[in-house]
Amino acid sequence: MRFGNLLMLAGVTLLVLGVAVRLGLLAWFGNLPGDIRIESDNSRVFIPITSMIVISLVLTLLASLIGSVMRQR
C-alpha cells in the first residue's frame, strides 16, 4: 500500500511539473547565475551548475519529508 501511494505521489508531482513547464512557469530555470553557457560558431556547451544544486536541494528536502512521514506510520 505504501509503494502505491508513493507512485501516485510521483505521478501527481510529474503532472504538476509538466503543467508548469507547459505554461512557462519554469522559464527561469537553466538561466540562473552560475549556470555556464559557452557558445561559439560551431558548438554550444551548457553546464547547469546552479540549476543542478537547486534540484538537489529540492529532491533532498522531498526525500527527507517523505521519509519522515513514512516513519511515523
Side-chain angles (χ1 to χ4, degrees):
M1 186 75 169
R2 290 182 187 174
F3 186 67
N5 290 340
L6 186 62
L7 282 176
M8 288 190 297
L9 178 65
V12 169
T13 303
L14 285 173
L15 179 68
V16 169
L17 280 174
V19 169
V21 168
R22 180 82 174 188
L23 293 176
L25 299 176
L26 296 177
W28 56 270
F29 193 75
N31 296 321
L32 296 172
D35 289 343
I36 299 172
R37 186 180 309 261
I38 302 170
E39 296 183 16
S40 67
D41 294 336
N42 297 328
S43 63
R44 292 184 198 161
V45 176
F46 178 62
I47 306 169
I49 295 172
T50 308
S51 297
M52 292 300 106
I53 291 172
V54 169
I55 286 177
S56 176
L57 289 172
V58 168
L59 289 176
T60 300
L61 289 172
L62 282 173
S64 72
L65 178 67
I66 291 171
S68 66
V69 167
M70 292 294 188
R71 274 181 293 210
Q72 288 178 356
R73 290 183 179 193

